[in-house]
Amino acid sequence: MTIRLTNTATRTKEEFVPLDPENVRMYVCGPTVYDRAHLGNARPVIVFDVLFRLLRHVYGAEHVTYVRNFTDVDDRINETAQKRRAAGADGTLEALIRERSDETIGWYHADMDALGALRPTAEPRATGYIAQMIAMIKDLIKEKHAYVEQGHVLFAVDTWKEGYGKLSGRSVDDMIAGARVEVAPYKRNPMDFVMWKPSSDDLPGWDSPWGRGRPGWHIECSAMAYDLLGDDFDIHGGGNDLMFPHHENEIAQSKCAGHGFARYWLHNEMLQVEGKKMSKSLGNFFTVRDLLEQGVPGEVIRFVFLSTHYRKPMDWTEKKREEAEATLRKWRALTDGVAPGAVPAEVVEALSDDLNTAGAIASLHKFAGEVDAPALAAGAQMMGLLTENMSEWWLSEADTPTDGFVKKAEFWINERADAKNRKDFARADEIRDKLADIGVMISDTPEGTKWVLNATSDKIGEWEHLE
Ligand code: AMP
Ligand code: ZN
């Protein structure tokens, strides 16, 4: 099975060849844990969860390492802690900061679990890797890729003109002309970026050769990826809003510190609201928790995301939600009590083609139409759908059929045959019509009675209709 992925670094769809098939390694930039995740933040989680599942399927679950960090050094976390302390909360500022990060990480886990995302292999917190960041910054200073100025350590972009900007396809000069970069007295070049900055006494800080301070955001990912995945690794993912400057800066730091870094770069497009990126700063957001609390099942949210290719922008709409819910209701009814079969090759092939999740869903619709419940269940579970841990919404509402859908259909087809044998044609026709009402379309053929599912029926699974 060949996996092909669109590599931002080369702008082409490439065959994916891991460095070591015994240990396939992926890093994805995780959330800054200052508040609840908004719906847009769930997109990379779901996209890279599908890739994680595909890699586990192809290389074996124990041969894939997936690291997604928590950024827990952030002014907004500090602000909440400071406010709580001012309001009389017990504990040091450090403890209150930790409390806020813990609380946010707890919400994040609950929300992403509800969307059926597997937990990554490792979820490092930036605050656990300060020593590694300091070590990397020291190397960069030694190699003259960084300089110290007024307690700040900056990466000197000029020292790596040949590489800087390659990922996003810009030259340093273009970037200087077009970028909204902060000009600051401690910068030699406005493009230079902060790797370490001083902390005032009322803010958290760590001792370093450059005084008490804290790391910049970009160095966190470089240091954690190096520590947990090694010198070289396979895939780096994140939203395309991070491509510049965050990912350019990660690459610059890691490469100039003498490391290899990622070989395939994958970027998901944005979840939008009326053509604009959903973001906290624009205020056009709602959280994953908002939707869950409105009663939208996590599985429905996941399905809606998977219906659009990850490299295309998408909107969340009420219509998509309704359609996803109706489809999942039918599929759940059809696969209830059915043991999944082997994962269908066509689902794996679609996902292997640059995560063509919409194509994989088309295959699932086909299996549903053919009433191939074992293939439907296995294919869906490969994508994290129709799983046991996301079934509560359906079980709690539907009058749970104890048997599988297929068995029930067969039971009623037999009842009809019995009625015919008794010459009770009225009853036989009644059963046929009622089955048709709930989507089970039967036809008598020389090989016996056959049936197909009419996926447009809105009464699928309502067996009580036949009693
Ligand atoms: P942040 O906490 O803002 O750094 O974002 C965490 C992750 O969510 C990053 O991978 C971002 O690229 C991603 N992200 C943020 N906003 C959106 C959005 N509207 N659509 C898709 N991904 C997003
Ligand atoms: Zn990152």
Side-chain angles (χ1 to χ4, degrees):
M1 179 60 61
T2 307
I3 298 177
R4 294 166 64 77
L5 300 170
T6 299
N7 187 352
T8 308
T10 58
R11 284 157 194 78
T12 51
K13 209 196 268 191
E14 289 176 13
E15 182 176 335
F16 173 69
V17 184
L19 285 160
D20 175 7
E22 299 284 308
N23 185 16
V24 181
R25 285 157 284 167
M26 170 161 82
Y27 185 93
V28 173
C29 297
T32 306
V33 287
Y34 67 99
D35 208 348
R36 286 254 184 219
H38 66 62
L39 191 65
N41 297 136
R43 195 167 189 197
V45 174
I46 294 173
V47 165
F48 293 105
D49 180 63
V50 171
L51 180 54
F52 184 38
R53 287 171 186 270
L54 176 67
L55 294 170
R56 285 160 64 95
H57 179 80
V58 172
Y59 296 97
E62 64 285 12
H63 299 302
V64 184
T65 306
Y66 170 22
V67 177
R68 187 184 61 212
N69 70 293
F70 287 120
T71 295
D72 59 349
V73 180
D74 183 72
D75 285 338
R76 292 161 296 189
I77 306 176
N78 300 340
E79 261 168 44
T80 304
Q82 281 162 331
K83 271 192 203 143
R84 286 181 177 177
R85 197 170 55 165
D90 283 341
T92 61
L93 184 63
E94 270 71 19
L96 293 170
I97 286 172
R98 178 86 189 180
E99 187 182 283
R100 179 60 174 172
S101 306
D102 285 347
E103 171 179 75
T104 313
I105 289 173
W107 291 336
Y108 190 79
H109 276 150
D111 294 350
M112 301 309 145
D113 289 353
L115 302 181
L118 301 173
R119 298 273 178 100
T121 322
E123 296 181 282
R125 290 177 181 223
T127 49
Y129 290 79
I130 303 289
Q132 290 86 333
M133 296 174 207
I134 291 175
M136 197 178 254
I137 296 170
K138 275 188 182 167
D139 287 344
L140 288 166
I141 294 174
K142 200 164 80 200
E143 297 301 321
K144 305 252 185 302
H145 284 294
Y147 57 93
V148 187
E149 191 68 54
Q150 300 174 28
H152 293 71
V153 186
L154 290 116
F155 185 93
V157 167
D158 284 344
T159 66
W160 202 50
K161 274 203 162 182
E162 68 276 22
Y164 197 73
K166 262 201 177 148
L167 178 72
S168 46
R170 316 164 196 225
S171 73
V172 174
D173 296 333
D174 285 351
M175 284 187 279
I176 293 174
R180 284 169 295 159
V181 286
E182 197 194 347
V183 183
Y186 46 80
K187 285 187 182 180
R188 289 183 193 163
N189 176 329
M191 292 301 295
D192 293 349
F193 58 88
V194 171
M195 294 190 291
W196 190 264
K197 61 189 163 200
S199 269
S200 53
D201 289 341
D202 57 342
L203 284 175
W206 291 266
D207 289 329
S208 82
W210 320 288
R212 185 174 171 277
R214 58 210 161 106
W217 171 35
H218 317 301
I219 194 73
E220 297 176 3
C221 287
S222 287
M224 287 185 273
Y226 178 54
D227 194 80
L228 292 161
L229 296 175
D231 211 24
D232 275 308
F233 57 96
D234 298 297
I235 299 170
H236 192 309
N240 66 356
D241 57 333
L242 302 186
M243 202 187 301
F244 176 79
H246 183 55
H247 291 160
E248 290 289 359
N249 295 355
E250 284 185 21
I251 297 172
Q253 295 164 151
S254 294
K255 295 255 182 181
C256 292
H259 307 310
F261 222 50
R263 297 159 65 248
Y264 298 85
W265 283 84
L266 264 73
H267 289 101
N268 64 273
E269 250 291 356
M270 294 292 102
L271 179 80
Q272 300 187 333
V273 182
E274 287 163 7
K276 289 210 173 72
K277 170 189 171 185
M278 178 182 280
S279 73
K280 293 258 167 69
S281 54
L282 290 174
N284 60 351
F285 71 94
F286 46 91
T287 65
V288 174
R289 185 53 45 180
D290 290 336
L291 281 185
L292 295 171
E293 278 174 2
Q294 285 160 26
V296 183
E299 183 170 37
V300 169
I301 301 174
R302 185 179 182 90
F303 188 99
V304 170
F305 275 111
L306 296 181
S307 304
T308 300
H309 191 255
Y310 76 96
R311 300 185 71 244
K312 295 211 177 88
M314 68 169 284
D315 279 299
W316 172 266
T317 65
E318 186 52 25
K319 183 160 176 277
K320 287 182 189 168
R321 183 201 66 73
E322 274 171 19
E323 284 171 2
E325 185 166 334
T327 300
L328 285 168
R329 231 173 248 292
K330 281 172 205 157
W331 290 1
R332 284 233 169 240
L334 196 56
T335 55
D336 184 53
V338 172
V343 179
E346 64 186 84
V347 169
V348 181
E349 272 161 28
L351 297 179
S352 299
D353 180 15
D354 201 22
L355 302 183
N356 180 4
T357 47
I361 287 175
S363 293
L364 300 182
H365 278 295
K366 194 193 73 180
F367 299 137
E370 293 166 352
V371 201
D372 187 347
L376 173 59
Q381 287 179 9
M382 170 80 218
M383 303 171 75
L385 296 166
L386 302 186
T387 57
E388 183 72 38
N389 64 343
M390 284 194 299
S391 61
E392 310 80 18
W393 70 278
W394 186 76
L395 291 177
S396 60
E397 282 178 38
D399 203 5
T400 313
T402 44
D403 271 346
F405 188 97
V406 175
K407 276 200 202 135
K408 290 222 167 184
E410 282 164 359
F411 170 83
W412 285 105
I413 287 167
N414 280 335
E415 289 287 293
R416 172 173 171 263
D418 287 349
K420 270 188 169 175
N421 289 340
R422 305 194 295 271
K423 306 241 184 295
D424 185 352
F425 297 111
R427 175 65 180 153
D429 288 350
E430 184 192 29
I431 293 174
R432 187 197 56 215
D433 294 346
K434 286 188 167 176
L435 279 172
D437 276 351
I438 68 162
V440 178
M441 312 295 292
I442 63 178
S443 56
D444 296 312
T445 75
E447 296 92 52
T449 304
K450 295 261 159 77
W451 65 283
V452 292
L453 187 74
N454 168 17
T456 63
S457 164
D458 55 6
K459 297 206 186 73
I460 286 175
E462 294 180 15
W463 297 102
E464 62 280 6
H465 189 63
L466 284 131
E467 307 294 337

